[in-house]
Amino acid sequence: PREQAIIYPTLGLTGEAGEVANKVKKLIRDGYENNKDYREALSKEIGDCLWYISILADDIGFDADAILTFNNL
């Protein structure tokens, strides 16, 4: 919602980052050899993080390319 600009995507990003961390935690616990699909599962969660980052950047008047350039990436 536009009235929640900046706040909503920030909260979404923190939730998704937590999901990435949780998947990595489980990989450490269970071992990578027991989870052949970890790359796909992690990439989906990372994609969700990127979506929220894109929305957050837009909320402050930047696009993803401008953020990357600004940070010399």
Side-chain angles (χ1 to χ4, degrees), residues 18-51:
E19 290 185 34
V20 170
N22 195 45
K23 290 207 180 300
V24 171
K25 175 198 72 172
K26 289 179 180 178
L27 287 172
I28 292 168
R29 179 193 67 199
D30 299 336
Y32 293 93
E33 64 279 354
N34 294 328
N35 190 339
K36 303 298 181 199
D37 300 320
Y38 77 93
R39 289 174 48 136
E40 184 175 320
L42 270 177
S43 70
K44 288 180 181 180
E45 298 302 339
I46 292 168
D48 291 343
C49 288
L50 291 172
W51 187 85

